[in-house]
Amino acid sequence: MKILKVLNNPIFSSIQDTGRFGFENHGVPNSGAGDTLSYRLGNYLLGNDNVSSIEIIYGSLEIEFISDCVIAITGSDMNPKVNSIPVKMWETIQIIKDDILSFSSSNNGLRSYISVKGGFSTNQTMNSSSTHTNFNLGGKKLKINDYLHVDSNIDNSLHKKLRFYPDYYHNDKKFDVIKGPEFENLTDKSKKILFNSSFKLSNRMSRTGIVLDGNKIEFSRGFSDIISDGTYKGVIQVPNDGKLYVLMEDSQRIGGYPRILSFTSYSLSYISQLMPKDEIIFNLISLEEAHEKGKNIEKNFFGNNITEIDDSSVFNLSYNNKEFIVATNKKHKNSVTINGKPIKLEF
Amino acid sequence: MKFKVQDISDCTLAFNFSNSIDEKTNQYINLLFESLIGSDLDLLSIYPTYNSLIATYNPIKTQKKDIVYFIKNLTVSTDKKNHKTDQLYLEIPVKYGGQNGPDLGSISRILSLSEDQIIEIHSSTIYYVFMIGFSPGFPYLGGLDNRLECPRLSTPRVEVQAGSVAIADKQTGIYPSKSSGGWRIIGNTSLKLFDKKLENPSLIKPGMKIKFTPL
């Protein structure tokens, strides 16, 4: 059934899930949500497992809901508003038919996610709805008058919020990396440059990759290119121009440039939120440390990280010299009682 | 066969078998890949490249040492009968030259060979498919006759038509879908190389042998 209609042409908003895996031997990229932490947290909050969400890049999206539902907005803060009233991120939002949800430009990062209880139901290509626009795979890139659907509409849920979530605004510039297979081919001078200077995101960035500006990186013995071999998102390659190329979620799984470093899985979520001119300082850690940190982050964010919000409130109302006790309780959808007697609310 | 274990990232391993390109190593990697399909190993993905087997895992669920142990102790049958793709052979019909092969003329001048000679050489070789990548269904082929080695275009084309058969350096390949590209185009095939609706979307598979047939 139809759940929402897109009211404008956003800059780049698309359907994404955890990605398209198992077709790498056919030359198919993985795609999927760029900020996996935020995408997963939204769906974790709603009780969803590997469903489709909307990934908004650069903001500017307006949608109208066609039926009641429960959603969550995660990722960077793009001033989400329902019917022009600001709404909170990282908690469930009860949507009523005809509500208009809008996002302006971003305050603190590149990507924001809208997840709906039950997940959006969209085109699947090779077991995934993740949109790859160049290869025309998966769900879709949203445009004006598009409709999105859900399989079964779950329009009622407890009001919940996440206790912990990534703080993009106060995140420092240090990002964890581990050494890649060709790291040792670098000159000693280049190794020093990597860890004693900072790099900046250039304007050349997309869901395929990010080019970093900074000091030139060189290889000892001058050689650079390798026999094309495996890559993955987060891998930092250096072509002959000596610049750093970060592979992102839509990138190919085969590449011919040396793989000198890679961002850890969890630091890549933060990298995926960076904008041009943002600064990066590499923090080199071991594989074991990366796995240990990853486990702690998983435990913090996905182990007992949901609390219920008690929205019930009671107040006294005087009207025509009569006293009324009005009670609201959002646990039961939009339930309002007057002197204990439920009344029907129309929106 | 001996291999090196490399960490491409904190969740992707390369089991690297060689530092040079050779069919024998690649065939062994394909055998290994085939024997891992449907195994108990809990991986997000596994695929072969020229020299490596690449495995992506979730470190929360699966430990690196368990994957390495599993691969080390895998017994692979090198019996040719069990090697499925090794026996696969595909002929690809190609319309060479003209609008279908806009670079055939310039290659002819660079290599001092007639267009007919280029077509004759290109279509008389049996090529080996090392891997699929670059774009969905794009085969990396080995075996290009060294008389056809010529440099890439200095400025890549913004748009290469689907089905374009091209050569560059020591390689030849086919663009399965419309894309940008810097290889020199000598012909075009109407064969659909990639169909995203199929369970096996890529027509060409690693380990296959293919031959181009002029139309």
Side-chain angles (χ1 to χ4, degrees), chain A residues 32-169:
Chain A
D35 176 357
T36 49
L37 269 184
S38 292
Y39 156 82
R40 284 182 61 207
L41 280 169
N43 287 301
Y44 163 72
L45 180 62
L46 293 166
N48 296 334
D49 189 24
N50 188 19
V51 299
S52 310
S53 296
I54 299 173
E55 181 182 82
I56 309 166
I57 294 185
Y58 292 120
S60 102
L61 173 68
E62 198 170 65
I63 54 182
E64 180 185 352
F65 286 90
I66 290 161
S67 51
D68 297 6
C69 58
V70 181
I71 64 163
I73 300 164
T74 55
S76 77
D77 184 356
M78 298 177 179
N79 308 302
K81 288 174 183 166
V82 172
N83 306 330
S84 305
I85 298 163
V87 285
K88 284 191 176 159
M89 297 179 58
W90 312 100
E91 65 177 58
T92 59
I93 300 168
Q94 176 70 57
I95 291 291
I96 310 291
K97 181 180 180 293
D98 299 332
D99 276 354
I100 290 178
L101 173 64
S102 63
F103 295 82
S104 61
S105 59
S106 174
N107 287 341
N108 60 352
L110 187 69
R111 307 174 197 235
S112 196
Y113 295 87
I114 308 172
S115 304
V116 64
K117 195 163 174 67
F120 294 106
S121 145
T122 63
N123 282 345
Q124 300 254 326
T125 317
M126 292 167 261
N127 310 330
S128 167
S129 69
S130 286
T131 310
H132 192 299
T133 46
N134 292 354
F135 299 140
N136 193 23
L137 305 176
K140 62 167 85 180
K141 181 183 162 200
L142 302 188
K143 58 179 194 309
I144 190 163
N145 294 332
D146 275 349
Y147 286 93
L148 289 185
H149 298 75
V150 287
D151 280 334
S152 58
N153 193 15
I154 307 155
D155 62 359
N156 197 356
S157 156
L158 296 176
H159 191 189
K160 296 174 190 171
K161 68 172 184 181
L162 293 165
R163 296 193 296 168
F164 311 108
Y165 46 86
D167 183 355
Y168 299 113
Y169 194 71

Side-chain angles (χ1 to χ4, degrees), chain B residues 5-192:
Chain B
V5 182
Q6 299 171 318
D7 294 297
I8 293 175
S9 79
D10 68 352
C11 60
T12 298
L13 293 168
F15 297 93
N16 181 261
F17 289 82
S18 168
N19 290 322
S20 61
I21 299 176
D22 69 281
E23 273 184 39
K24 225 182 136 196
T25 308
N26 186 265
Q27 275 168 350
Y28 182 79
I29 292 166
N30 280 321
L31 275 175
L32 208 57
F33 168 68
E34 279 170 18
S35 60
L36 278 165
I37 297 169
S39 79
D40 294 338
L41 210 51
D42 189 3
L43 297 173
L44 276 167
S45 63
I46 185 137
Y47 64 100
T49 63
Y50 274 119
N51 298 328
S52 303
L53 191 66
I54 312 295
T56 299
Y57 61 107
N58 178 356
I60 306 292
K61 286 187 188 168
T62 312
Q63 298 222 355
K64 174 186 168 181
K65 64 173 170 50
D66 294 337
I67 304 168
V68 175
Y69 181 85
F70 194 97
I71 304 275
K72 266 195 179 138
N73 290 285
L74 201 65
T75 44
V76 175
S77 163
T78 42
D79 187 345
K80 289 255 170 188
K81 273 180 239 156
N82 298 333
H83 195 176
K84 287 173 229 146
T85 49
D86 193 42
Q87 292 156 23
L88 292 177
Y89 171 77
L90 184 70
E91 284 201 10
I92 296 176
V94 179
K95 284 181 181 158
Y96 284 98
Q99 282 185 333
N100 295 302
D103 296 323
L104 192 60
S106 68
I107 298 169
S108 166
R109 286 190 293 278
I110 293 168
L111 301 176
S112 304
L113 292 168
S114 73
E115 294 192 7
D116 284 346
Q117 281 173 310
I118 294 168
I119 295 167
E120 164 65 25
I121 296 168
H122 190 258
S123 61
S124 60
T125 309
I126 293 176
Y127 299 97
Y128 176 78
V129 182
F130 278 99
M131 59 182 181
I132 309 290
F134 174 68
S135 71
F138 186 101
Y140 286 78
L141 303 175
L144 184 71
D145 192 296
N146 56 21
R147 283 172 292 172
L148 293 187
E149 279 180 34
C150 68
R152 285 157 204 250
L153 295 171
S154 49
T155 310
R157 278 192 176 81
V158 177
E159 199 173 287
V160 174
Q161 291 306 310
S164 292
V165 176
I167 57 176
D169 304 327
K170 293 179 193 310
Q171 294 171 292
T172 183
I174 315 158
Y175 289 91
S177 51
K178 205 194 271 183
S179 68
S180 58
W183 291 20
R184 291 177 195 265
I185 300 160
I186 57 172
N188 190 280
T189 178
S190 55
L191 214 57
K192 195 170 186 181

